């Protein structure tokens, strides 16, 4: 199960970012992030496929349309492979722990 937990301008994402999760979340995208969220911490993502990556990039684009930024940080190794494969490093950051 995929969850988004927000606190203090950051949203912790955990679970699987799979096509099935994206299909389930898509109708709720407008309410997924509130205006106070400027970081998505992806350290808790256990799996992602290309649909999950597309969802993350869509969330970034939606925040930009509102004049806000959204930083995608701490992608786990499996997600990092997709980031590298699709040459999306500019959208993701790693932070020291």
């Amino acid at each position: 199960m995929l969850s988004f937990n927000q606190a203090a301008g950051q949203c912790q994402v955990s679970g699987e970012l799979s096509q099935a999760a994206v299909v389930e979340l898509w109708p709720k995208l407008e309410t997924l992030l509130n205006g106070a969220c400027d970081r998505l911490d992806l350290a808790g993502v256990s799996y992602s496929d290309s649909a999950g990556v597309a969802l993350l990039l869509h969330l970034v684009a939606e925040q930009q349309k509102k004049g806000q930024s959204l930083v995608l940080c701490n992608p786990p190794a499996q997600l990092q492979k997709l980031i590298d494969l699709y040459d999306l490093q500019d959208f993701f950051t790693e932070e020291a722990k």
Side-chain angles (χ1 to χ4, degrees), residues 25-38:
L25 279 177
W26 202 262
K28 305 171 193 171
L29 282 183
E30 290 294 319
T31 60
L32 200 55
L33 300 176
N34 65 34
C37 182
D38 61 1

Side-chain angles (χ1 to χ4, degrees), residues 52-62 72 88 91-92:
V53 172
L55 172 74
L56 294 173
L57 297 178
H58 180 78
L59 291 173
V60 169
E62 288 300 306
L72 304 173
L88 298 171
F91 293 95
F92 295 83

Side-chain angles (χ1 to χ4, degrees), residues 26-77:
W26 202 262
K28 305 171 193 171
L29 282 183
E30 290 294 319
T31 60
L32 200 55
L33 300 176
N34 65 34
C37 182
D38 61 1
R39 304 179 79 68
L40 276 185
D41 186 340
L42 304 169
V45 173
S46 58
Y47 170 80
S48 181
D49 58 19
S50 58
V53 172
L55 172 74
L56 294 173
L57 297 178
H58 180 78
L59 291 173
V60 169
E62 288 300 306
Q63 289 294 90
Q64 288 175 342
K65 284 182 188 176
K66 297 175 188 175
Q68 300 169 343
S69 64
L70 182 63
V71 176
L72 304 173
C73 57
N74 301 321

